[in-house]
Coordinates of all heavy atoms in Angstrom, one line a residue:
M487 N -7.1 0.1 124.8 CA -8.5 -0.3 124.8 C -9.2 0.3 123.6 O -8.9 1.5 123.3 CB -9.1 0.2 126.1 CG -10.2 -0.6 126.6 SD -11.0 0.0 128.1 CE -9.7 0.2 129.2
S488 N -10.0 -0.5 123.0 CA -10.7 0.0 121.8 C -12.1 -0.6 121.8 O -12.3 -1.7 122.3 CB -9.9 -0.4 120.5 OG -9.9 -1.8 120.4
K489 N -13.0 0.2 121.2 CA -14.4 -0.2 121.1 C -14.5 -1.2 119.9 O -14.1 -0.8 118.7 CB -15.2 1.0 120.9 CG -16.7 0.7 121.0 CD -17.4 2.0 121.3 CE -18.4 2.3 120.2 NZ -19.2 3.5 120.5
T490 N -14.9 -2.4 120.1 CA -14.9 -3.4 119.1 C -16.3 -3.9 118.9 O -17.0 -4.2 119.8 CB -14.0 -4.6 119.5 OG1 -12.7 -4.1 119.8 CG2 -13.9 -5.7 118.5
F491 N -16.7 -4.1 117.6 CA -18.0 -4.7 117.3 C -17.9 -6.1 117.7 O -17.0 -6.9 117.3 CB -18.3 -4.5 115.8 CG -19.5 -5.4 115.3 CD1 -20.8 -5.0 115.7 CD2 -19.3 -6.5 114.6 CE1 -21.8 -5.8 115.3 CE2 -20.3 -7.3 114.2 CZ -21.6 -6.9 114.6
I492 N -19.0 -6.6 118.4 CA -19.0 -8.0 118.8 C -20.0 -8.8 118.1 O -19.7 -9.9 117.5 CB -19.3 -8.0 120.4 CG1 -18.4 -7.2 121.2 CG2 -19.3 -9.5 120.8 CD1 -16.9 -7.6 121.1
I493 N -21.3 -8.3 118.0 CA -22.4 -9.1 117.4 C -23.6 -8.2 117.2 O -23.7 -7.2 117.9 CB -22.7 -10.3 118.4 CG1 -23.5 -11.4 117.7 CG2 -23.4 -9.8 119.6 CD1 -23.6 -12.7 118.5
D494 N -24.5 -8.6 116.3 CA -25.7 -7.9 116.2 C -26.6 -8.2 117.4 O -26.7 -9.4 117.8 CB -26.5 -8.3 114.9 CG -25.8 -7.8 113.6 OD1 -25.3 -6.7 113.7 OD2 -25.9 -8.5 112.6
A495 N -27.2 -7.2 118.0 CA -28.0 -7.4 119.2 C -29.1 -8.5 119.1 O -29.3 -9.3 120.0 CB -28.5 -6.1 119.7
D496 N -29.7 -8.5 117.9 CA -30.8 -9.4 117.7 C -30.4 -10.9 117.5 O -31.2 -11.8 117.4 CB -31.8 -9.0 116.6 CG -31.1 -8.9 115.3 OD1 -30.0 -9.4 115.1 OD2 -31.8 -8.4 114.3
A497 N -29.1 -11.1 117.5 CA -28.6 -12.5 117.4 C -28.5 -13.1 118.8 O -28.2 -14.3 118.9 CB -27.2 -12.5 116.8
V498 N -28.8 -12.4 119.9 CA -28.8 -12.9 121.2 C -30.2 -12.7 121.8 O -30.5 -11.6 122.1 CB -27.7 -12.3 122.1 CG1 -27.6 -13.1 123.4 CG2 -26.4 -12.3 121.4
E499 N -31.0 -13.7 122.0 CA -32.3 -13.6 122.5 C -32.3 -13.2 124.0 O -31.4 -13.5 124.7 CB -33.1 -14.9 122.4 CG -33.4 -15.4 121.0 CD -34.0 -16.8 121.0 OE1 -34.9 -17.0 121.8 OE2 -33.5 -17.6 120.2
K500 N -33.4 -12.6 124.4 CA -33.6 -12.2 125.8 C -33.4 -13.5 126.7 O -34.0 -14.5 126.4 CB -34.9 -11.6 126.1 CG -34.9 -10.1 126.1 CD -36.3 -9.6 126.5 CE -36.4 -8.1 126.1 NZ -37.7 -7.5 126.3
G501 N -32.6 -13.3 127.8 CA -32.5 -14.4 128.7 C -31.5 -15.5 128.3 O -31.3 -16.5 128.9
K502 N -30.8 -15.2 127.1 CA -29.9 -16.2 126.6 C -28.4 -15.6 126.6 O -28.2 -14.4 126.7 CB -30.2 -16.5 125.1 CG -31.6 -17.1 125.0 CD -31.7 -18.5 125.5 CE -33.1 -19.1 125.1 NZ -33.4 -20.3 125.9
T503 N -27.5 -16.6 126.3 CA -26.1 -16.2 126.2 C -25.6 -16.7 124.8 O -26.2 -17.7 124.3 CB -25.2 -16.9 127.3 OG1 -25.3 -18.3 127.2 CG2 -25.7 -16.5 128.7
R504 N -24.6 -16.1 124.3 CA -24.0 -16.6 123.0 C -22.5 -16.5 123.1 O -22.0 -15.4 123.2 CB -24.6 -15.7 121.9 CG -24.1 -15.9 120.6 CD -25.1 -16.6 119.7 NE -24.5 -16.8 118.4 CZ -25.1 -16.5 117.3 NH1 -26.3 -15.9 117.3 NH2 -24.5 -16.7 116.1
P505 N -21.8 -17.6 122.9 CA -20.4 -17.5 122.9 C -19.9 -17.0 121.6 O -20.5 -17.3 120.5 CB -19.9 -19.0 123.1 CG -21.1 -19.8 122.6 CD -22.3 -19.0 122.8
I506 N -18.8 -16.3 121.6 CA -18.2 -15.8 120.4 C -16.7 -15.5 120.6 O -16.3 -15.1 121.7 CB -19.0 -14.5 119.9 CG1 -18.5 -14.0 118.5 CG2 -18.8 -13.4 120.9 CD1 -19.4 -13.0 117.9
S507 N -15.9 -15.8 119.6 CA -14.5 -15.4 119.6 C -14.2 -14.2 118.8 O -14.7 -14.1 117.7 CB -13.7 -16.6 119.1 OG -13.8 -17.7 119.9
V508 N -13.5 -13.3 119.4 CA -13.1 -12.1 118.7 C -11.6 -12.0 118.9 O -11.1 -11.7 120.0 CB -13.8 -10.8 119.2 CG1 -13.3 -9.6 118.5 CG2 -15.3 -10.9 119.1
G509 N -10.9 -12.2 117.8 CA -9.4 -12.3 117.9 C -9.0 -13.3 119.0 O -9.5 -14.5 118.9
E510 N -8.2 -13.0 119.9 CA -7.8 -13.9 121.0 C -8.8 -14.0 122.1 O -8.6 -14.9 123.0 CB -6.5 -13.5 121.5 CG -6.6 -12.2 122.3 CD -5.2 -11.5 122.6 OE1 -4.3 -11.7 121.8 OE2 -5.1 -10.8 123.6
H511 N -9.8 -13.2 122.1 CA -10.8 -13.2 123.2 C -11.9 -14.2 123.0 O -12.5 -14.3 121.9 CB -11.4 -11.8 123.3 CG -10.5 -10.7 123.6 ND1 -10.1 -10.4 124.8 CD2 -9.8 -9.9 122.7 CE1 -9.3 -9.4 124.8 NE2 -9.1 -9.0 123.5
K512 N -12.1 -15.0 124.0 CA -13.2 -16.0 124.1 C -14.3 -15.3 124.9 O -14.1 -15.2 126.1 CB -12.8 -17.3 124.7 CG -11.6 -17.9 124.0 CD -12.1 -19.0 123.0 CE -11.0 -19.8 122.4 NZ -10.1 -19.0 121.5
L513 N -15.3 -14.8 124.3 CA -16.3 -14.0 124.9 C -17.6 -14.7 125.1 O -17.9 -15.6 124.4 CB -16.5 -12.7 124.1 CG -15.3 -11.9 123.9 CD1 -15.6 -10.7 122.9 CD2 -14.6 -11.3 125.1
L514 N -18.4 -14.1 126.0 CA -19.8 -14.5 126.1 C -20.7 -13.3 126.1 O -20.4 -12.3 126.9 CB -20.1 -15.3 127.4 CG -21.4 -16.0 127.5 CD1 -21.6 -17.1 126.5 CD2 -21.7 -16.5 128.9
V515 N -21.6 -13.2 125.2 CA -22.5 -12.1 125.1 C -23.8 -12.5 125.8 O -24.4 -13.6 125.5 CB -22.9 -11.7 123.6 CG1 -23.8 -10.5 123.6 CG2 -21.6 -11.4 122.9
C516 N -24.3 -11.7 126.7 CA -25.5 -12.1 127.5 C -26.5 -11.0 127.3 O -26.2 -9.8 127.4 CB -25.1 -12.1 129.0 SG -23.7 -13.2 129.4
N517 N -27.8 -11.5 127.2 CA -28.9 -10.6 127.1 C -29.8 -10.9 128.2 O -30.6 -11.8 128.2 CB -29.6 -10.8 125.7 CG -30.9 -9.9 125.6 OD1 -31.3 -9.3 126.5 ND2 -31.4 -9.9 124.4
S518 N -29.7 -10.0 129.2 CA -30.6 -10.2 130.4 C -31.7 -9.2 130.4 O -31.4 -8.0 130.7 CB -29.7 -10.1 131.7 OG -30.5 -10.4 132.8
G519 N -32.8 -9.6 130.0 CA -34.0 -8.7 130.0 C -33.8 -7.5 129.1 O -34.3 -6.4 129.3
G520 N -33.0 -7.6 128.0 CA -32.8 -6.6 127.1 C -31.5 -5.7 127.4 O -31.2 -4.9 126.6
S521 N -30.9 -6.0 128.5 CA -29.6 -5.4 128.8 C -28.5 -6.4 128.3 O -28.5 -7.5 128.7 CB -29.4 -5.1 130.3 OG -30.4 -4.2 130.7
Y522 N -27.5 -5.8 127.7 CA -26.4 -6.6 127.1 C -25.1 -6.5 127.9 O -24.8 -5.4 128.4 CB -26.1 -6.2 125.7 CG -27.2 -6.6 124.7 CD1 -28.4 -5.9 124.6 CD2 -27.1 -7.8 124.0 CE1 -29.4 -6.3 123.8 CE2 -28.2 -8.2 123.2 CZ -29.3 -7.4 123.0 OH -30.3 -7.8 122.2
Y523 N -24.5 -7.6 128.1 CA -23.2 -7.7 128.8 C -22.2 -8.5 128.0 O -22.6 -9.6 127.5 CB -23.4 -8.3 130.2 CG -24.4 -7.5 131.1 CD1 -25.7 -7.9 131.1 CD2 -24.0 -6.5 131.9 CE1 -26.6 -7.3 131.8 CE2 -24.9 -5.8 132.7 CZ -26.2 -6.2 132.6 OH -27.2 -5.6 133.4
V524 N -21.0 -8.1 127.9 CA -19.9 -8.9 127.3 C -18.9 -9.3 128.4 O -18.4 -8.4 129.0 CB -19.3 -8.2 126.1 CG1 -18.1 -9.0 125.6 CG2 -20.3 -7.9 125.0
I525 N -18.7 -10.6 128.6 CA -17.8 -11.0 129.6 C -16.9 -12.1 129.0 O -17.2 -12.7 127.9 CB -18.6 -11.6 130.8 CG1 -19.4 -12.8 130.4 CG2 -19.4 -10.6 131.5 CD1 -20.1 -13.5 131.5
A526 N -15.8 -12.4 129.7 CA -14.9 -13.5 129.3 C -15.7 -14.8 129.5 O -16.3 -14.9 130.6 CB -13.6 -13.5 130.0
N527 N -15.6 -15.7 128.6 CA -16.4 -17.0 128.7 C -15.6 -18.0 129.5 O -15.3 -19.1 129.0 CB -16.8 -17.5 127.3 CG -17.8 -18.6 127.4 OD1 -18.3 -18.9 128.5 ND2 -18.1 -19.2 126.3
Q528 N -15.2 -17.7 130.7 CA -14.5 -18.6 131.5 C -14.7 -18.3 133.0 O -14.4 -17.2 133.4 CB -13.0 -18.6 131.2 CG -12.2 -19.7 131.9 CD -10.8 -19.8 131.4 OE1 -10.0 -18.8 131.5 NE2 -10.4 -20.9 130.9
C529 N -15.2 -19.3 133.7 CA -15.4 -19.1 135.2 C -14.0 -19.0 135.9 O -13.1 -19.7 135.4 CB -16.2 -20.3 135.7 SG -16.6 -20.1 137.5
S530 N -13.9 -18.3 136.9 CA -12.7 -18.2 137.7 C -12.5 -19.3 138.7 O -11.4 -19.5 139.2 CB -12.6 -16.8 138.4 OG -13.7 -16.8 139.4
H531 N -13.5 -20.1 138.9 CA -13.4 -21.2 139.8 C -12.7 -22.4 139.3 O -11.5 -22.7 139.6 CB -14.8 -21.6 140.4 CG -14.8 -22.8 141.3 ND1 -15.5 -23.9 141.0 CD2 -14.1 -23.0 142.4 CE1 -15.3 -24.8 142.0 NE2 -14.4 -24.3 142.8
A532 N -13.3 -23.1 138.3 CA -12.6 -24.3 137.7 C -12.6 -24.2 136.2 O -12.6 -25.2 135.5 CB -13.4 -25.6 138.1
Q533 N -12.6 -22.9 135.7 CA -12.4 -22.6 134.3 C -13.4 -23.1 133.4 O -13.2 -23.2 132.2 CB -11.0 -23.1 133.9 CG -9.8 -22.9 134.8 CD -9.8 -21.4 135.4 OE1 -9.9 -20.5 134.7 NE2 -9.6 -21.3 136.7
A534 N -14.6 -23.4 133.9 CA -15.7 -23.8 133.0 C -16.2 -22.7 132.1 O -16.0 -21.5 132.4 CB -16.9 -24.3 133.8
R535 N -16.7 -23.1 130.9 CA -17.3 -22.1 130.1 C -18.6 -21.6 130.8 O -19.3 -22.4 131.4 CB -17.7 -22.7 128.7 CG -16.4 -23.1 127.9 CD -15.7 -21.8 127.4 NE -14.5 -22.2 126.7 CZ -13.4 -21.5 126.7 NH1 -13.3 -20.4 127.4 NH2 -12.4 -21.9 125.9
L536 N -18.9 -20.3 130.6 CA -20.1 -19.8 131.2 C -21.3 -19.8 130.3 O -22.4 -19.4 130.6 CB -19.9 -18.4 131.7 CG -18.9 -18.2 132.8 CD1 -18.4 -16.8 133.0 CD2 -19.4 -18.8 134.1
T537 N -21.1 -20.4 129.1 CA -22.2 -20.5 128.1 C -23.4 -21.2 128.7 O -23.3 -22.3 129.3 CB -21.7 -21.3 126.9 OG1 -20.6 -20.7 126.4 CG2 -22.8 -21.4 125.8
G538 N -24.6 -20.6 128.6 CA -25.8 -21.2 129.1 C -26.1 -20.9 130.6 O -27.0 -21.4 131.1
G539 N -25.2 -20.2 131.2 CA -25.4 -19.8 132.6 C -26.7 -19.0 132.7 O -27.1 -18.3 131.9
K540 N -27.4 -19.3 133.9 CA -28.6 -18.6 134.1 C -28.4 -17.1 134.4 O -27.4 -16.7 135.1 CB -29.4 -19.2 135.3 CG -30.0 -20.5 135.0 CD -31.1 -20.8 135.9 CE -31.9 -22.0 135.5 NZ -31.3 -23.0 134.7
L541 N -29.2 -16.2 133.8 CA -29.1 -14.8 134.0 C -30.2 -14.3 134.9 O -31.4 -14.7 134.8 CB -29.2 -14.1 132.6 CG -28.3 -14.6 131.5 CD1 -28.6 -13.9 130.2 CD2 -26.8 -14.3 131.9
R542 N -29.8 -13.4 135.9 CA -30.8 -12.8 136.7 C -30.4 -11.3 136.9 O -29.4 -11.1 137.6 CB -30.8 -13.4 138.1 CG -31.4 -14.8 138.1 CD -32.9 -14.9 138.1 NE -33.4 -16.3 138.1 CZ -33.5 -17.1 137.1 NH1 -33.1 -16.7 135.9 NH2 -33.9 -18.3 137.2
G543 N -31.0 -10.4 136.3 CA -30.6 -9.0 136.3 C -29.2 -8.9 135.8 O -28.9 -9.4 134.7
H544 N -28.3 -8.3 136.6 CA -26.9 -8.2 136.2 C -26.0 -9.4 136.6 O -24.8 -9.3 136.5 CB -26.4 -6.9 136.7 CG -26.5 -6.8 138.2 ND1 -27.5 -6.2 138.9 CD2 -25.6 -7.2 139.2 CE1 -27.3 -6.2 140.2 NE2 -26.2 -6.9 140.4
K545 N -26.7 -10.4 137.1 CA -25.9 -11.6 137.5 C -25.9 -12.7 136.5 O -27.0 -13.0 135.9 CB -26.4 -12.2 138.8 CG -26.3 -11.2 140.0 CD -26.8 -12.0 141.2 CE -27.2 -11.0 142.3 NZ -28.0 -11.6 143.4
I546 N -24.8 -13.5 136.4 CA -24.8 -14.7 135.7 C -24.3 -15.8 136.7 O -23.5 -15.6 137.5 CB -23.9 -14.7 134.4 CG1 -24.0 -16.0 133.7 CG2 -22.4 -14.4 134.8 CD1 -23.4 -16.0 132.3
F547 N -24.9 -17.0 136.6 CA -24.6 -18.1 137.4 C -23.9 -19.1 136.6 O -24.4 -19.6 135.6 CB -25.8 -18.7 138.0 CG -26.5 -17.8 139.0 CD1 -27.4 -16.8 138.5 CD2 -26.3 -17.9 140.4 CE1 -28.0 -15.9 139.4 CE2 -27.0 -17.0 141.2 CZ -27.8 -16.0 140.8
C548 N -22.7 -19.5 137.0 CA -21.9 -20.5 136.3 C -22.7 -21.8 136.2 O -23.3 -22.3 137.2 CB -20.6 -20.8 137.1 SG -19.6 -22.1 136.4
P549 N -22.7 -22.4 135.0 CA -23.5 -23.6 134.8 C -22.9 -24.8 135.5 O -23.6 -25.8 135.7 CB -23.5 -23.8 133.3 CG -22.5 -22.9 132.7 CD -22.2 -21.9 133.7
L550 N -21.6 -24.8 135.9 CA -21.0 -26.0 136.5 C -21.3 -26.1 138.0 O -21.8 -27.1 138.5 CB -19.5 -26.0 136.2 CG -18.8 -27.3 136.6 CD1 -19.5 -28.5 135.9 CD2 -17.3 -27.2 136.2
H551 N -20.9 -25.0 138.8 CA -21.1 -25.1 140.2 C -22.0 -23.9 140.8 O -22.0 -23.7 142.0 CB -19.8 -25.1 141.0 CG -18.8 -26.2 140.5 ND1 -17.6 -25.9 140.0 CD2 -19.0 -27.5 140.5 CE1 -17.0 -27.1 139.7 NE2 -17.8 -28.0 140.0
S552 N -22.5 -23.2 139.8 CA -23.5 -22.1 140.2 C -23.0 -20.9 140.9 O -23.7 -20.1 141.5 CB -24.6 -22.7 141.1 OG -25.3 -23.8 140.4
A553 N -21.7 -20.6 140.8 CA -21.2 -19.4 141.4 C -21.8 -18.2 140.6 O -21.8 -18.2 139.4 CB -19.6 -19.3 141.3
P554 N -22.2 -17.2 141.4 CA -22.8 -16.0 140.7 C -21.7 -14.9 140.5 O -20.8 -14.7 141.4 CB -23.8 -15.5 141.7 CG -23.3 -16.0 143.1 CD -22.5 -17.2 142.8
F555 N -21.8 -14.3 139.4 CA -20.9 -13.2 139.0 C -21.7 -11.9 138.6 O -22.8 -12.1 138.0 CB -19.9 -13.5 137.9 CG -19.0 -14.6 138.2 CD1 -19.3 -16.0 137.9 CD2 -17.8 -14.4 138.8 CE1 -18.4 -17.0 138.2 CE2 -16.9 -15.4 139.1 CZ -17.2 -16.7 138.8
D556 N -21.1 -10.8 138.9 CA -21.8 -9.5 138.5 C -21.2 -9.2 137.1 O -20.0 -9.0 136.9 CB -21.4 -8.4 139.5 CG -22.1 -7.1 139.2 OD1 -22.4 -6.8 138.0 OD2 -22.5 -6.4 140.2
M557 N -22.1 -9.2 136.1 CA -21.7 -9.0 134.7 C -21.2 -7.6 134.4 O -20.6 -7.3 133.4 CB -22.8 -9.4 133.7 CG -23.1 -10.9 133.8 SD -24.3 -11.4 132.5 CE -25.8 -10.7 133.2
R558 N -21.5 -6.7 135.4 CA -21.1 -5.3 135.1 C -19.6 -5.1 135.4 O -19.0 -4.3 134.7 CB -21.9 -4.4 136.1 CG -23.4 -4.4 135.8 CD -24.2 -3.6 136.8 NE -24.0 -4.2 138.1 CZ -24.6 -3.8 139.2 NH1 -25.4 -2.8 139.2 NH2 -24.4 -4.4 140.4
D559 N -19.1 -5.8 136.4 CA -17.7 -5.6 136.7 C -16.9 -6.9 136.9 O -15.7 -6.9 137.2 CB -17.5 -4.7 138.0 CG -18.1 -5.4 139.2 OD1 -18.6 -6.5 139.1 OD2 -18.1 -4.7 140.3
G560 N -17.6 -8.0 136.7 CA -17.0 -9.3 136.8 C -16.8 -9.9 138.2 O -16.2 -11.0 138.4
S561 N -17.2 -9.1 139.2 CA -16.9 -9.6 140.6 C -17.6 -10.9 140.9 O -18.8 -11.1 140.5 CB -17.2 -8.5 141.6 OG -18.6 -8.1 141.5
A562 N -17.0 -11.7 141.7 CA -17.6 -12.9 142.2 C -18.5 -12.5 143.4 O -18.1 -11.9 144.3 CB -16.5 -13.9 142.7
L563 N -19.7 -13.0 143.3 CA -20.7 -12.6 144.3 C -21.0 -13.7 145.4 O -21.8 -13.5 146.3 CB -22.0 -12.2 143.7 CG -21.9 -11.0 142.7 CD1 -23.2 -10.8 141.9 CD2 -21.5 -9.7 143.4
G564 N -20.4 -14.9 145.1 CA -20.7 -16.0 146.1 C -19.9 -17.2 145.8 O -19.3 -17.3 144.7
P565 N -19.8 -18.2 146.7 CA -19.0 -19.4 146.5 C -19.6 -20.2 145.4 O -20.8 -20.1 145.1 CB -19.1 -20.0 147.9 CG -20.4 -19.5 148.5 CD -20.6 -18.1 147.9
P566 N -18.8 -21.1 144.8 CA -17.4 -21.4 145.2 C -16.4 -20.5 144.6 O -15.2 -20.6 144.9 CB -17.2 -22.8 144.8 CG -18.0 -23.0 143.5 CD -19.3 -22.1 143.8
A567 N -16.8 -19.5 143.8 CA -15.8 -18.6 143.2 C -15.4 -17.5 144.1 O -16.2 -17.0 144.9 CB -16.3 -18.0 141.9
T568 N -14.1 -17.2 144.1 CA -13.7 -16.1 145.0 C -13.0 -15.0 144.1 O -12.9 -13.8 144.5 CB -12.7 -16.6 146.0 OG1 -11.6 -17.3 145.4 CG2 -13.3 -17.5 147.0
A569 N -12.5 -15.4 142.9 CA -11.9 -14.4 142.1 C -12.8 -13.9 141.0 O -13.8 -14.6 140.6 CB -10.7 -15.1 141.4
P570 N -12.6 -12.7 140.5 CA -13.5 -12.1 139.5 C -13.2 -12.7 138.1 O -12.2 -13.4 137.9 CB -13.1 -10.6 139.5 CG -11.7 -10.6 139.9 CD -11.5 -11.7 140.9
I571 N -14.2 -12.5 137.2 CA -14.0 -12.8 135.8 C -13.8 -11.5 135.1 O -14.0 -10.4 135.7 CB -15.2 -13.6 135.2 CG1 -16.5 -12.8 135.4 CG2 -15.4 -15.0 135.9 CD1 -17.7 -13.3 134.7
C572 N -13.4 -11.6 133.8 CA -13.3 -10.3 133.1 C -14.7 -9.9 132.5 O -15.4 -10.7 132.0 CB -12.4 -10.5 131.9 SG -10.7 -10.8 132.3
A573 N -15.0 -8.6 132.8 CA -16.2 -8.1 132.2 C -15.8 -6.8 131.5 O -15.0 -6.0 131.9 CB -17.2 -7.7 133.4
Y574 N -16.4 -6.6 130.3 CA -16.0 -5.5 129.4 C -17.1 -4.5 129.4 O -18.3 -4.8 129.3 CB -15.7 -6.1 128.0 CG -14.6 -7.1 128.1 CD1 -15.0 -8.5 128.0 CD2 -13.3 -6.8 128.2 CE1 -14.0 -9.5 128.1 CE2 -12.3 -7.8 128.2 CZ -12.7 -9.1 128.2 OH -11.7 -10.1 128.2
S575 N -16.7 -3.2 129.3 CA -17.7 -2.1 129.1 C -18.4 -2.4 127.8 O -17.8 -2.5 126.7 CB -16.9 -0.8 129.1 OG -17.8 0.2 128.9
T576 N -19.7 -2.4 127.9 CA -20.5 -2.8 126.7 C -21.5 -1.8 126.4 O -22.2 -1.2 127.2 CB -21.3 -4.1 127.1 OG1 -20.3 -5.1 127.5 CG2 -22.1 -4.7 125.9
T577 N -21.7 -1.5 125.1 CA -22.7 -0.6 124.6 C -23.4 -1.2 123.4 O -22.9 -2.1 122.7 CB -22.0 0.8 124.2 OG1 -21.0 0.5 123.2 CG2 -21.5 1.5 125.3
V578 N -24.6 -0.7 123.2 CA -25.4 -1.1 122.0 C -25.7 0.2 121.2 O -26.3 1.1 121.8 CB -26.7 -1.8 122.5 CG1 -27.5 -2.2 121.2 CG2 -26.4 -3.0 123.3
E579 N -25.4 0.2 120.0 CA -25.6 1.3 119.1 C -26.2 0.8 117.8 O -25.6 -0.1 117.2 CB -24.3 2.1 118.9 CG -23.7 2.7 120.1 CD -22.3 3.3 119.9 OE1 -22.0 3.6 118.7 OE2 -21.6 3.3 120.9
D580 N -27.3 1.3 117.4 CA -27.9 1.0 116.1 C -28.0 -0.6 116.0 O -27.8 -1.1 114.9 CB -27.1 1.5 114.9 CG -27.1 3.0 114.9 OD1 -28.1 3.6 115.4 OD2 -26.0 3.6 114.5
G581 N -28.4 -1.2 117.1 CA -28.7 -2.6 117.0 C -27.4 -3.5 117.0 O -27.5 -4.7 116.7
K582 N -26.3 -2.9 117.3 CA -25.0 -3.6 117.3 C -24.4 -3.5 118.7 O -24.4 -2.5 119.3 CB -24.1 -3.1 116.3 CG -24.6 -3.2 114.9 CD -23.6 -2.7 113.9 CE -24.2 -2.7 112.4 NZ -24.8 -3.9 112.0
V583 N -23.8 -4.6 119.2 CA -23.2 -4.7 120.5 C -21.7 -4.4 120.3 O -21.0 -5.1 119.5 CB -23.4 -6.1 121.1 CG1 -22.7 -6.1 122.5 CG2 -24.9 -6.3 121.3
F584 N -21.2 -3.5 121.1 CA -19.8 -3.2 121.1 C -19.2 -3.4 122.5 O -19.9 -3.2 123.5 CB -19.5 -1.7 120.7 CG -19.9 -1.4 119.3 CD1 -21.2 -1.0 119.0 CD2 -19.0 -1.4 118.3 CE1 -21.6 -0.7 117.7 CE2 -19.3 -1.1 117.0 CZ -20.6 -0.7 116.7
A585 N -17.9 -3.7 122.6 CA -17.3 -3.9 123.9 C -15.9 -3.3 123.8 O -15.3 -3.2 122.8 CB -17.2 -5.3 124.3
E586 N -15.5 -2.8 125.0 CA -14.1 -2.2 125.1 C -13.2 -3.4 125.5 O -13.1 -3.7 126.7 CB -14.1 -1.1 126.2 CG -15.0 0.0 125.9 CD -14.3 1.2 125.2 OE1 -13.1 1.1 125.1 OE2 -15.0 2.1 124.8
L587 N -12.6 -4.0 124.6 CA -11.8 -5.2 124.9 C -10.4 -4.7 125.3 O -9.9 -3.7 124.8 CB -11.6 -6.0 123.6 CG -12.9 -6.6 123.1 CD1 -12.7 -7.5 121.9 CD2 -13.7 -7.4 124.2
T588 N -9.8 -5.4 126.3 CA -8.5 -5.0 126.8 C -7.5 -6.1 126.3 O -7.9 -7.2 126.2 CB -8.5 -4.9 128.3 OG1 -9.2 -6.0 128.9 CG2 -9.2 -3.6 128.8
E589 N -6.3 -5.7 126.1 CA -5.3 -6.6 125.6 C -5.0 -7.6 126.7 O -4.9 -7.3 127.9 CB -4.0 -5.8 125.3 CG -4.2 -4.9 124.1 CD -4.6 -5.6 122.8 OE1 -4.1 -6.6 122.5 OE2 -5.5 -5.0 122.1
G590 N -4.8 -8.9 126.3 CA -4.3 -9.9 127.2 C -5.4 -10.4 128.1 O -5.0 -11.1 129.1
Q591 N -6.6 -10.1 127.9 CA -7.7 -10.6 128.8 C -8.7 -11.3 128.1 O -9.0 -11.0 127.0 CB -8.3 -9.5 129.6 CG -7.4 -8.9 130.6 CD -8.1 -7.9 131.5 OE1 -9.3 -7.5 131.3 NE2 -7.5 -7.5 132.6
Ligands
FES1717 S1 -16.4 -23.8 137.5 FE1 -17.8 -22.1 137.8 S2 -18.4 -22.3 139.9 FE2 -17.1 -23.9 139.6

């Protein structure tokens, strides 16, 4: 596991998501009320991209069937998803967003 620069924090507006690829990782950076989360950009239900999913606190709602996920740990919080998504430990330093990316996820 290593801390990887993902994106400048000001490139993701409050309440918005931004897809980005870092190496083999297809990521989604989320800015929920000024808190940043980096998650895998793929729903566990029918593999839809989570880009543009609505953000509420630490939750993101899949844009396809509205399953909610906890962006802190990736857990599925309601139907139709039952499996978690990947969520990465995220920090912001000097206006830059970093995530602890894990191999193979
Ligand atoms: S693809 Fe995300 S809830 Fe169905």
Side-chain angles (χ1 to χ4, degrees):
M487 208 180 309
S488 63
K489 192 160 120 179
T490 303
F491 169 71
I492 306 298
I493 196 168
D494 288 328
D496 63 7
V498 189
E499 292 174 45
K500 263 190 196 171
K502 303 287 188 193
T503 64
R504 175 105 179 233
I506 187 167
S507 292
V508 176
E510 66 195 31
H511 299 274
K512 304 263 187 289
L513 303 172
L514 189 68
V515 184
C516 306
N517 178 349
S518 184
S521 295
Y522 289 82
Y523 303 90
V524 176
I525 60 176
N527 193 8
Q528 188 170 59
C529 183
S530 63
H531 174 237
Q533 317 311 316
R535 295 290 180 213
L536 294 168
T537 305
K540 287 204 170 23
L541 305 176
R542 293 282 181 276
H544 56 266
K545 294 182 200 168
I546 184 168
F547 294 81
C548 175
L550 190 55
H551 305 119
S552 303
F555 295 93
D556 189 325
M557 295 185 285
R558 298 171 299 182
D559 63 6
S561 57
L563 299 173
T568 54
I571 58 171
C572 293
Y574 303 99
S575 177
T576 304
T577 53
V578 180
E579 296 170 25
D580 298 327
K582 298 180 185 312
V583 178
F584 294 87
E586 302 266 350
L587 300 181
T588 44
E589 296 300 318
Q591 291 188 348

